[in-house]
Structure formats: structure tokens, C-alpha cells
Amino acid sequence: MASSHSSSPVPQGSSSDVFFKKEVDPTKHIRPVQSLPDVCPKEPTGDSNSLCVAPSLVTDQHRWTIYHSKVNLPAALNDPRLAKRESDFFTKTWGLDFVDTEVIPSFYLPQISKEHFTVYQQEISQREKIHERCKNICPPKDTFDRTLLHTHDKSRTDLEQVPKIFMKPDFALDDSLTFNSVLPWSHFNTAGGKGNRDAASSKLLQEKLSHYLDIVEVNIAHQISLRSEAFFHAMTSQHELQDYLKKTSQAVKMLRDKIAQIDKVMCEGSLHILRLALTRNNCVKVYNKLKLMATVHQTQPTVQVLLSTSEFVGALDLIATTQEVLQQELQGIHSFRHLGSQLCELEKLIDKMMIAEFSTYSHSDLNRPLEDDCQILEEERLVSLVFGLLKQRKLNFLEIYSEEMIITAKNIIKQCVINKVSQIEEIDTDVVVKLADQMRMLNFPQWFDLLKDIFSKFTIFLQRVKATLNIIHSVVLSVLDKNRRTRELEEISQQKNATKDNSLDTEVAYLIHEGMFISDAFNESELTPIAIDTTSQRNASPNSEPCSSDSVSEPECTTDSSSSKEQTSSSATPGGVDIMVNEDMKLTDLELEKLANNIQELLYSASDICHDRAVKFLMSRAKDGFLEKLNSTEFITLSRLMETFILDTEHICGRKSMSLLGALQSQANKFVNRFHEERKTKLSLLLDNERWKQADVPAEFQDLVDSISDGKIALPEKKSGATEERKPAEVLIVEGQQYAVVGTVLLLIRIILEYCQCVDNIPSVTTDMLTRLSDLLKYFNSRSCQLVLGAGALQVVGLKTITTKNLALSSRCLQLIVHYIPVIRAHFEARLQPKQYSMLRHFDHITKDYHDHIAEISAKLVAIMDSLFDKLLSKYEVKAPVPSACFRNICKQMAKMHEAIFDLLPEEQTQMLFLRINASYKLHLKKQLSHLNVINDGGPQNGLVTADVAFYTGNLQALKGLKDLDLNMSEIWEQKR
């Protein structure tokens, strides 16, 4: 093993100097405090404990190494935190969960045997022999320590007399504290007659220091004597070393001479050419730099010229280019030290100018005469302004446009009102000063024309706003698209650069192998194309930045409004203006997408502004109840105008605004309430004055019913000439059936059609109209029941009695309404949303109520005859003459009943009604015969009864429409027991 760094070389005769460390025999006992052996027998190390008290010139030169460590490995690996001792040390590093598993031998490692060390043993055998000789020559260090212990202790004792301050490694007399400690000046004070004593102290100090010097010299001499052999060996080797140095110096001189000759013959000329080329390139760079400085010097005048023509984008691009050149290529130029701050201030000024210019443009664009077309005002100017604002991240320009829209919308309404009021001579503007009061003096046709004019102006206004916002939107999308394409190109470029780096590594390896200079190869293959590309890129168009200082292939270069790093692509706006998209836009994709959404929201906001202003205009007119006083025709006309405007704005802006629609719905609800109350009041008055007599049917009502049968649920247009020539009919013909009705029902049908037509004209009130119409039909049913069945008409109208004809007429009127309920239901169902179909159940309930009412009327007619049968048959006696008076009275009443209802009710209903009456008659006759004990025995009484019944049957079947009526009179007789 090699010796430590503290060992001294041992001279050998013919062999080279080798440093070895004495190996320790493992069979010998090793003391715990024993130091590692040293090959130098004359170096006393001594006991470490005894040497640590005072500084030692011998032991302090040996630094502590890992070989001085006296801690054994198991003690170092023990973990005092564990409760028990672990079997190995792996758990200390890898944790308590470490599991010792058997390591499988690797297939890639060979099996090592003693034969593998044979070559090594042969090579090391010579060194081992030399090492053994060294051990014999140099005894072990501990043995040497014992032999020289006495000498060393004596030297140590002498050295202890020397103060420790002289042994410090940082001992220096130039330090004032050290100097005062070594030479105390307080002992050398000559004042006060103490000169003799001070001289004695000085002499004593001198002798003391001399004694310290003698001790140190003796110890140094002793140390030198211990290493005398090494000194002699060094002196012997010095002569050989001087010979080697002499030969080396001669060889170096010859080599230098040859290199000088080669340099003169082969290199000086070529290097001179390279220096001249480099000088030329530097001159070209200086020339281009001066041209660049001259161009930059003209930046401010050029910016002023661009601003005078409102070329904000060009001015900003020129400022950005100049700032980039100042930071990259002209950095440190003293004459341009203030130009950067001046350009920054100029850029801030341009920001304010662009904001002011955009505000001016917005005002002039939105306040143009609205009679013109919707062409965009100065589209190139708008595109330039938007690009400049986007470039400077001034995104609040949309707020400016929004504020201008609000002001313009107010002015539109104000100007329309002024123009309309000025045309009305009846309005004295001197008396009525306020414009709102002047507007309220307009009648409905005048106010309607004013509203129509406002809506038309708002439509043109929104079309202009949309056209302008479309241009702004297209600019934003162009910038966004360019950002994305630029990012894609950067990704492709990075991939190409990665591939290029791989190929470059291969090329470098090849150049190194061939012995070429790599810098020369780069200059030829890489640097020149880069310079050419840079120059061509900057000189591709007049709108490029100045040439960089690295470009030497083009002496001419120009500077304009675009940066060297700006790539531009042209696209077209909807108006056909080419726009240039710069790469240096500072907006991210997220910001651009948010801005595009804000532009669309601004268009929605424009629609909302127009609707809000229209609502305020409506509300100002509705303060005196003007809108609530409109009749149906006027309100429907107003509603259609407002719905048309709502649809137009939705078509323009792409979203329906709800404010005007809400105002229309509110007014429609008020209109529906008034509409319903008027008609309900009208129906109530008609019913209260109805005498329940059959009324003639005017031709216009017959035409109304016919139009319903044709599928047209609407009030027909009035035909003055034809209506006057046609006479009223007795009955109403509906799909081939005749209906005898009262006048109230005719007007009710017209009212129902008014409800249906109102739904067609105002679809937003469909549900309200359905509810109101249901209420109207229920009111007619309940009120007619009170008047007829409940005999309320006796007190209200003054009828003497409620006749069967009144009842039959009421039933037929109800049947007519029931006939039209499915038609009404279908009409409303076609105009309801699917989720509103549940409201149609009102018609089902109404139909059921009407059927119940009709059934009650039929039951009432039967009850009238039933009471008559009970009264007459209770006095019936079986005796001559035949027919009896009772049966003659019964037949007379039946004929009156038939005469009253036959012309009112259909034949089928008449037959059904008389069948029910006949059943009641048979029941009462059977009861009376049973009371009289008359049976079907063929006797005289049976014959009389049979004759009376035959008379009744004949008279009943003789009535019109009852000939084929099956009376089945055999049921009057009780069955024989």
C-alpha cells in the first residue's frame, strides 16, 4: 500500500524512489493508541496525548487523516435509538422494514478464483521484495519511539521554555500587540533617573531572547541531523536533475527555432490575410453602425410625420423598432442615452392620442345622419386605430364606444320627438315648454308614427353598430389567428432545431476526426447562412428594421416602422381592407378571446340600450293612462309594431332583448284585464236583459259561423252592401244543423272570436286569454242557469214564468257553445307551448259543466210533465166515455210540449225527451191501475183502459217526428202472479 502524505522519501541505490507504508502483521498485538507506521525511522512522532499540550515543530506538520481514526465499525453502526441490537447495519440506512433476502448471483459477473490474481502477484512480487528490505532498514516507528524517547523528552523540555507566542503560525512583529508582548516598552522608560535599571532590564531581555534562539537552533540542528541521509541523497540527485534540465532546455530551444521558421513560412501570410479580412469586416460593421445611428437619429421626426397623418400603428412600430435597436445594437452609445426615455414619453402620448382619436371616430360614426346607408365610416382609419390600441393593450376603447352608443340612443329619440312636434301646428311650443309634455299632446296616430320613426332609426343605428363591431371583431380574430399560427411555427422550428443539433453533433465529431478547426467549419457552414438570412429578412421589404451589426453582406440597410422580429401577414376585413397582423402584439390568446366575447356582448348591449330607451319612451307616454285607453285595434297595431322591432333587433344582434318585451307584456296584461272586464260586463248586461226568446240571426252572424266552419277563426270583414240586402234567418245553421238561439249567444260567439283573434294578434297573452275566456264561458253557464233554471229572469227581466220553450231554447244555446268548445281548444292548443298544455283542462271542465247543465234542463222538462201526469192520473177512473177526459187532457198537454220544443230541439233529442216523458207516464198509469185493481184480464175495465191507452198512443205518434217512437205500452200492466 502507498504511504501517507507525511512520509519522507527513502533513498535506494539503483532502484527508483518509491514510497511505501509499513504493513502491520495481523498476528501481532496492536495497541489502541498506536499510530500508523512510517517508513522514515528518524521522525519522532511521540505520544499524541503528551504532544497536544504545547506546540511542536515536529508533530504539528502532520495533519489528521482517516488513518488516525480509532473508532471500530460496529460502534459506528450501532443505533442508540433502537431497543435491541440489530443483526446488520442495513436497517440503519434503509429502515426497520428492511428484509434481508438472498442475492441471486448475476449472470454477467464471472466466478473469481485464485488463478485470476496470478498475473497481479507476479507484477507485485518485485515491489514486495523492495518493501521487505525497507522494513529491515527502517525499524518500526514505535520501536524507534522507544529508543529515542529520552532524547525527545529532553528536546521537548527545552522547547517548553520558549513562550508559545513564538510558536504561533501567525507570529508577526508588525502586529502592535505581538510587538508589545515580545518587547515590553514599559521597562525602557529613561525618565526619573532610572536609566541604570532600564539598561539592566534591556540586557536581561536580550540574553533571554538569545537563549530562546539557541534552544531553537539546537532543535533545528537536531532535526536536520535526523534527516541527514535524505539531505545527502537530495544533493546527489541535484546534479542529475541539472543535467536533465540542460538537455531539456536545448530541446526546447531547437523546437522553438523550428516553430519560428514554420510560422514565418506557412502562417504569417495567411494570418495577415485573415487580419485584413477581419479589419475589413470591422470597418463594414462600423459603417453599418453609423448608418444605423443616422437612421435612428431620424426616428423622432419620422414619428411626428406619421402622427400628422394619423398613422399610429406605423409610429408605434417605429418606436418599438428603435427601442429594440437601442437595447441590442446601439447599447452604450452615449449620444443616444436620452433617446429611450424620450421614445417612452412619445409612446405614452400616442396612447392618449389614439384614445382621443377613437372617441372622435365613435362620435362621428354614430352621429351621422341616419338616412344614409350603413356603410362604415373610414374603415382604414378604424382598422389602424384598433390595431394601435391592441398593440398598446388599451382594451377600454369598448367602454368608450358603449358610452357613445348610450348618448346617441338618447339623441335619436330626442331628435325624432322634436321633428314630429315641429310638424304639428296644434302644439304651441311656447306654452308647453317641456318636450315630454309636448309629446303627450300627440294623438294615437301621430304618436304611433313617431314610435315607428324611432324604431326605424334604431334599426339603422344597430346596423351601423354591428358593421363597426364586425370590423373590430375581424381585427381581433386576425390577431388571434396569427398568434396561433406563430406558435405552431415556433413548435415546428424547435423540432427542426433539435434534429439539426443531432446532425451537428455528428458533423463536429467528423471535423475533429479530420483535424479541422471547428470554428472554421462553423464559419463556413453556419455563420454565413445566418448572416445572409438576417440581411435578407431585414431587407425583404421597405417596411423592415435596420440591418444588424452582424450583417456584412449588405452594406445598404433601411429602417421603417416594423421590428426585425415582426413577421406580418395580410388578411381582409369584411369591408375589403387589407390588415397587417404583427407578431409583437402583447395580448395573449385568452385576452383576445375575452375581447372578442366582449365585442359580441357590446352588440347585445347596443340592442338592450335601444330597447331600454324605447321602454322609457313608452312609459313617459303611459303616465296619463294613454296606453290603457287604447281600443283593441289600436293596441294590436302597437303590439305588432313592437314585436316587429323586437324581431328586427334580434335578427341584427343575434339575441332577443327582454326589456321592451317585458314592457309589452306588462301593457298586454293590462290590456287583457281591461279587454276581459269590458266583455264580461257586456255579457252580464246582455244576460240581464235577455228575455230568452228565439232571436233572428243576422246574415253577418251566419257568415261568421260559416267562416269558423271553413277553419278561419276570426271576425270577418264588414261588407256593407251585401249585408243590407240579406234578410235575417230564423235559425243559425252550423255545419248543416239548425240552432235556435237567443241574441246573447250570438254576441257571445262574436266575443269568443274576439278572444281568439286577440291571441293571434298578441301571442304573448295566450295563456292569460285562455284563462279569461274560460272564466267568461263559466260565467255564461252559471248566469244562464241562475236566470232560467233558477228562475232568476222572473225578477231580473220581469218574465211571468219560465216556459218549456225558454228551457229548450236555453239548452239549445248551451249545445251551440259546446259545439264550439273543441274548435276553441284546438285554436289555443296550436298557440301554446307543450309545457302549457295542462291549461287546456279548463275546456274539459267547462264542457262537463255545460253537459251537466243541459242534462238538468232535460230533467226539468221531464219533471214538468211528470208533475202533470201525477196530477191528472191520480183522478183517473175507469168508466165511460172513451176516451176519458183525463187522457184527452194528457194528449193535449203532450201536444203543447211537442209544439214548444220541436222547432227548437233536433228530432233525435225530441224523441229521446218524449221517450223519457212516456216512461214517466207509464209509471204513473201503472201506479193508478194498480190502485184501482184493474188488471189485464180481458174484462170491461180492461177494455176501457185499453181504449184510452190506444187513444194516447195514437195521438202521441201522430205528432211530428214521433211516428216511429216505440212506446211499449204493455208495461203498464202488472205481471200475473
Side-chain angles (χ1 to χ4, degrees), residues 443-460:
N443 55 29
F444 178 77
Q446 295 170 345
W447 182 82
F448 184 78
D449 292 338
L450 173 60
L451 182 63
K452 186 187 297 184
D453 185 38
I454 291 174
F455 284 166
S456 63
K457 297 294 178 61
F458 274 158
T459 303
I460 299 174

PDB file of all heavy atoms in Angstrom, residues 443-460:
ATOM      1  N   ASN A 443    -101.967  62.697 -30.522  1.00  0.00           N
ATOM      2  CA  ASN A 443    -102.974  61.641 -30.511  1.00  0.00           C
ATOM      3  C   ASN A 443    -102.330  60.328 -30.945  1.00  0.00           C
ATOM      4  O   ASN A 443    -101.138  60.279 -31.276  1.00  0.00           O
ATOM      5  CB  ASN A 443    -104.156  62.006 -31.408  1.00  0.00           C
ATOM      6  CG  ASN A 443    -103.703  62.326 -32.838  1.00  0.00           C
ATOM      7  OD1 ASN A 443    -102.697  61.800 -33.300  1.00  0.00           O
ATOM      8  ND2 ASN A 443    -104.437  63.196 -33.515  1.00  0.00           N
ATOM      9  N   PHE A 444    -103.140  59.262 -30.931  1.00  0.00           N
ATOM     10  CA  PHE A 444    -102.540  57.943 -31.189  1.00  0.00           C
ATOM     11  C   PHE A 444    -101.928  57.838 -32.578  1.00  0.00           C
ATOM     12  O   PHE A 444    -100.794  57.338 -32.713  1.00  0.00           O
ATOM     13  CB  PHE A 444    -103.586  56.838 -30.981  1.00  0.00           C
ATOM     14  CG  PHE A 444    -103.032  55.465 -31.274  1.00  0.00           C
ATOM     15  CD1 PHE A 444    -102.209  54.830 -30.356  1.00  0.00           C
ATOM     16  CD2 PHE A 444    -103.313  54.817 -32.467  1.00  0.00           C
ATOM     17  CE1 PHE A 444    -101.685  53.582 -30.625  1.00  0.00           C
ATOM     18  CE2 PHE A 444    -102.799  53.567 -32.745  1.00  0.00           C
ATOM     19  CZ  PHE A 444    -101.986  52.949 -31.815  1.00  0.00           C
ATOM     20  N   PRO A 445    -102.576  58.220 -33.663  1.00  0.00           N
ATOM     21  CA  PRO A 445    -101.926  58.111 -34.985  1.00  0.00           C
ATOM     22  C   PRO A 445    -100.621  58.893 -35.061  1.00  0.00           C
ATOM     23  O   PRO A 445     -99.626  58.411 -35.614  1.00  0.00           O
ATOM     24  CB  PRO A 445    -102.983  58.657 -35.947  1.00  0.00           C
ATOM     25  CG  PRO A 445    -104.270  58.447 -35.251  1.00  0.00           C
ATOM     26  CD  PRO A 445    -103.979  58.674 -33.799  1.00  0.00           C
ATOM     27  N   GLN A 446    -100.588  60.094 -34.500  1.00  0.00           N
ATOM     28  CA  GLN A 446     -99.357  60.881 -34.522  1.00  0.00           C
ATOM     29  C   GLN A 446     -98.268  60.240 -33.663  1.00  0.00           C
ATOM     30  O   GLN A 446     -97.102  60.144 -34.074  1.00  0.00           O
ATOM     31  CB  GLN A 446     -99.657  62.302 -34.033  1.00  0.00           C
ATOM     32  CG  GLN A 446    -100.598  63.082 -34.934  1.00  0.00           C
ATOM     33  CD  GLN A 446    -101.058  64.381 -34.304  1.00  0.00           C
ATOM     34  OE1 GLN A 446    -100.896  64.582 -33.083  1.00  0.00           O
ATOM     35  NE2 GLN A 446    -101.657  65.260 -35.106  1.00  0.00           N
ATOM     36  N   TRP A 447     -98.660  59.804 -32.481  1.00  0.00           N
ATOM     37  CA  TRP A 447     -97.679  59.151 -31.594  1.00  0.00           C
ATOM     38  C   TRP A 447     -97.206  57.825 -32.183  1.00  0.00           C
ATOM     39  O   TRP A 447     -96.024  57.469 -32.051  1.00  0.00           O
ATOM     40  CB  TRP A 447     -98.323  58.930 -30.227  1.00  0.00           C
ATOM     41  CG  TRP A 447     -97.378  58.304 -29.236  1.00  0.00           C
ATOM     42  CD1 TRP A 447     -96.429  58.921 -28.491  1.00  0.00           C
ATOM     43  CD2 TRP A 447     -97.306  56.911 -28.899  1.00  0.00           C
ATOM     44  NE1 TRP A 447     -95.763  58.019 -27.710  1.00  0.00           N
ATOM     45  CE2 TRP A 447     -96.286  56.768 -27.932  1.00  0.00           C
ATOM     46  CE3 TRP A 447     -98.007  55.773 -29.302  1.00  0.00           C
ATOM     47  CZ2 TRP A 447     -95.949  55.541 -27.381  1.00  0.00           C
ATOM     48  CZ3 TRP A 447     -97.670  54.549 -28.757  1.00  0.00           C
ATOM     49  CH2 TRP A 447     -96.654  54.439 -27.807  1.00  0.00           C
ATOM     50  N   PHE A 448     -98.108  57.113 -32.851  1.00  0.00           N
ATOM     51  CA  PHE A 448     -97.728  55.845 -33.473  1.00  0.00           C
ATOM     52  C   PHE A 448     -96.722  56.082 -34.605  1.00  0.00           C
ATOM     53  O   PHE A 448     -95.750  55.335 -34.750  1.00  0.00           O
ATOM     54  CB  PHE A 448     -98.982  55.140 -33.992  1.00  0.00           C
ATOM     55  CG  PHE A 448     -98.715  53.781 -34.574  1.00  0.00           C
ATOM     56  CD1 PHE A 448     -98.523  52.690 -33.753  1.00  0.00           C
ATOM     57  CD2 PHE A 448     -98.641  53.598 -35.950  1.00  0.00           C
ATOM     58  CE1 PHE A 448     -98.272  51.432 -34.279  1.00  0.00           C
ATOM     59  CE2 PHE A 448     -98.397  52.354 -36.491  1.00  0.00           C
ATOM     60  CZ  PHE A 448     -98.213  51.261 -35.647  1.00  0.00           C
ATOM     61  N   ASP A 449     -96.946  57.110 -35.395  1.00  0.00           N
ATOM     62  CA  ASP A 449     -95.978  57.439 -36.448  1.00  0.00           C
ATOM     63  C   ASP A 449     -94.630  57.821 -35.853  1.00  0.00           C
ATOM     64  O   ASP A 449     -93.562  57.469 -36.401  1.00  0.00           O
ATOM     65  CB  ASP A 449     -96.515  58.588 -37.306  1.00  0.00           C
ATOM     66  CG  ASP A 449     -97.729  58.170 -38.118  1.00  0.00           C
ATOM     67  OD1 ASP A 449     -97.892  56.940 -38.342  1.00  0.00           O
ATOM     68  OD2 ASP A 449     -98.525  59.055 -38.507  1.00  0.00           O
ATOM     69  N   LEU A 450     -94.646  58.546 -34.741  1.00  0.00           N
ATOM     70  CA  LEU A 450     -93.410  58.912 -34.066  1.00  0.00           C
ATOM     71  C   LEU A 450     -92.666  57.661 -33.578  1.00  0.00           C
ATOM     72  O   LEU A 450     -91.443  57.529 -33.760  1.00  0.00           O
ATOM     73  CB  LEU A 450     -93.715  59.846 -32.892  1.00  0.00           C
ATOM     74  CG  LEU A 450     -92.533  60.191 -31.958  1.00  0.00           C
ATOM     75  CD1 LEU A 450     -91.421  60.878 -32.725  1.00  0.00           C
ATOM     76  CD2 LEU A 450     -93.006  61.052 -30.787  1.00  0.00           C
ATOM     77  N   LEU A 451     -93.401  56.728 -32.967  1.00  0.00           N
ATOM     78  CA  LEU A 451     -92.772  55.495 -32.487  1.00  0.00           C
ATOM     79  C   LEU A 451     -92.219  54.676 -33.646  1.00  0.00           C
ATOM     80  O   LEU A 451     -91.116  54.101 -33.548  1.00  0.00           O
ATOM     81  CB  LEU A 451     -93.802  54.676 -31.689  1.00  0.00           C
ATOM     82  CG  LEU A 451     -93.287  53.384 -31.070  1.00  0.00           C
ATOM     83  CD1 LEU A 451     -92.195  53.673 -30.044  1.00  0.00           C
ATOM     84  CD2 LEU A 451     -94.422  52.612 -30.408  1.00  0.00           C
ATOM     85  N   LYS A 452     -92.952  54.631 -34.755  1.00  0.00           N
ATOM     86  CA  LYS A 452     -92.460  53.902 -35.925  1.00  0.00           C
ATOM     87  C   LYS A 452     -91.175  54.527 -36.453  1.00  0.00           C
ATOM     88  O   LYS A 452     -90.222  53.824 -36.836  1.00  0.00           O
ATOM     89  CB  LYS A 452     -93.540  53.890 -37.010  1.00  0.00           C
ATOM     90  CG  LYS A 452     -93.183  53.034 -38.224  1.00  0.00           C
ATOM     91  CD  LYS A 452     -94.212  53.203 -39.327  1.00  0.00           C
ATOM     92  CE  LYS A 452     -95.585  52.711 -38.870  1.00  0.00           C
ATOM     93  NZ  LYS A 452     -96.572  52.782 -39.980  1.00  0.00           N
ATOM     94  N   ASP A 453     -91.101  55.856 -36.451  1.00  0.00           N
ATOM     95  CA  ASP A 453     -89.890  56.539 -36.892  1.00  0.00           C
ATOM     96  C   ASP A 453     -88.723  56.245 -35.958  1.00  0.00           C
ATOM     97  O   ASP A 453     -87.588  56.020 -36.409  1.00  0.00           O
ATOM     98  CB  ASP A 453     -90.166  58.046 -36.951  1.00  0.00           C
ATOM     99  CG  ASP A 453     -88.981  58.826 -37.511  1.00  0.00           C
ATOM    100  OD1 ASP A 453     -88.333  58.320 -38.454  1.00  0.00           O
ATOM    101  OD2 ASP A 453     -88.688  59.918 -37.001  1.00  0.00           O
ATOM    102  N   ILE A 454     -88.994  56.239 -34.659  1.00  0.00           N
ATOM    103  CA  ILE A 454     -87.922  55.925 -33.685  1.00  0.00           C
ATOM    104  C   ILE A 454     -87.412  54.511 -33.896  1.00  0.00           C
ATOM    105  O   ILE A 454     -86.187  54.259 -33.897  1.00  0.00           O
ATOM    106  CB  ILE A 454     -88.442  56.116 -32.248  1.00  0.00           C
ATOM    107  CG1 ILE A 454     -88.685  57.594 -31.968  1.00  0.00           C
ATOM    108  CG2 ILE A 454     -87.448  55.544 -31.228  1.00  0.00           C
ATOM    109  CD1 ILE A 454     -89.338  57.866 -30.630  1.00  0.00           C
ATOM    110  N   PHE A 455     -88.311  53.568 -34.090  1.00  0.00           N
ATOM    111  CA  PHE A 455     -87.890  52.185 -34.293  1.00  0.00           C
ATOM    112  C   PHE A 455     -87.072  52.039 -35.575  1.00  0.00           C
ATOM    113  O   PHE A 455     -86.080  51.284 -35.613  1.00  0.00           O
ATOM    114  CB  PHE A 455     -89.113  51.266 -34.345  1.00  0.00           C
ATOM    115  CG  PHE A 455     -89.708  50.993 -32.987  1.00  0.00           C
ATOM    116  CD1 PHE A 455     -90.979  50.426 -32.857  1.00  0.00           C
ATOM    117  CD2 PHE A 455     -89.011  51.302 -31.838  1.00  0.00           C
ATOM    118  CE1 PHE A 455     -91.523  50.166 -31.609  1.00  0.00           C
ATOM    119  CE2 PHE A 455     -89.552  51.052 -30.577  1.00  0.00           C
ATOM    120  CZ  PHE A 455     -90.804  50.491 -30.468  1.00  0.00           C
ATOM    121  N   SER A 456     -87.465  52.728 -36.634  1.00  0.00           N
ATOM    122  CA  SER A 456     -86.695  52.637 -37.882  1.00  0.00           C
ATOM    123  C   SER A 456     -85.302  53.238 -37.709  1.00  0.00           C
ATOM    124  O   SER A 456     -84.308  52.682 -38.206  1.00  0.00           O
ATOM    125  CB  SER A 456     -87.448  53.359 -39.002  1.00  0.00           C
ATOM    126  OG  SER A 456     -87.580  54.753 -38.715  1.00  0.00           O
ATOM    127  N   LYS A 457     -85.209  54.360 -36.973  1.00  0.00           N
ATOM    128  CA  LYS A 457     -83.894  54.956 -36.715  1.00  0.00           C
ATOM    129  C   LYS A 457     -83.040  54.036 -35.840  1.00  0.00           C
ATOM    130  O   LYS A 457     -81.826  53.891 -36.075  1.00  0.00           O
ATOM    131  CB  LYS A 457     -84.067  56.319 -36.030  1.00  0.00           C
ATOM    132  CG  LYS A 457     -84.785  57.368 -36.868  1.00  0.00           C
ATOM    133  CD  LYS A 457     -83.988  57.759 -38.079  1.00  0.00           C
ATOM    134  CE  LYS A 457     -84.735  58.776 -38.938  1.00  0.00           C
ATOM    135  NZ  LYS A 457     -85.031  60.031 -38.249  1.00  0.00           N
ATOM    136  N   PHE A 458     -83.643  53.419 -34.859  1.00  0.00           N
ATOM    137  CA  PHE A 458     -82.901  52.474 -34.016  1.00  0.00           C
ATOM    138  C   PHE A 458     -82.401  51.285 -34.838  1.00  0.00           C
ATOM    139  O   PHE A 458     -81.295  50.770 -34.602  1.00  0.00           O
ATOM    140  CB  PHE A 458     -83.780  51.978 -32.872  1.00  0.00           C
ATOM    141  CG  PHE A 458     -83.756  52.878 -31.664  1.00  0.00           C
ATOM    142  CD1 PHE A 458     -84.792  52.863 -30.745  1.00  0.00           C
ATOM    143  CD2 PHE A 458     -82.695  53.730 -31.439  1.00  0.00           C
ATOM    144  CE1 PHE A 458     -84.782  53.688 -29.636  1.00  0.00           C
ATOM    145  CE2 PHE A 458     -82.668  54.564 -30.338  1.00  0.00           C
ATOM    146  CZ  PHE A 458     -83.708  54.538 -29.439  1.00  0.00           C
ATOM    147  N   THR A 459     -83.180  50.832 -35.794  1.00  0.00           N
ATOM    148  CA  THR A 459     -82.760  49.709 -36.627  1.00  0.00           C
ATOM    149  C   THR A 459     -81.526  50.079 -37.450  1.00  0.00           C
ATOM    150  O   THR A 459     -80.552  49.303 -37.517  1.00  0.00           O
ATOM    151  CB  THR A 459     -83.911  49.291 -37.554  1.00  0.00           C
ATOM    152  OG1 THR A 459     -85.059  48.963 -36.774  1.00  0.00           O
ATOM    153  CG2 THR A 459     -83.510  48.089 -38.396  1.00  0.00           C
ATOM    154  N   ILE A 460     -81.555  51.273 -38.058  1.00  0.00           N
ATOM    155  CA  ILE A 460     -80.379  51.724 -38.817  1.00  0.00           C
ATOM    156  C   ILE A 460     -79.184  51.911 -37.882  1.00  0.00           C
ATOM    157  O   ILE A 460     -78.043  51.548 -38.213  1.00  0.00           O
ATOM    158  CB  ILE A 460     -80.709  53.040 -39.548  1.00  0.00           C
ATOM    159  CG1 ILE A 460     -81.848  52.828 -40.541  1.00  0.00           C
ATOM    160  CG2 ILE A 460     -79.473  53.573 -40.262  1.00  0.00           C
ATOM    161  CD1 ILE A 460     -82.327  54.104 -41.210  1.00  0.00           C
TER     162      ILE A 460
END
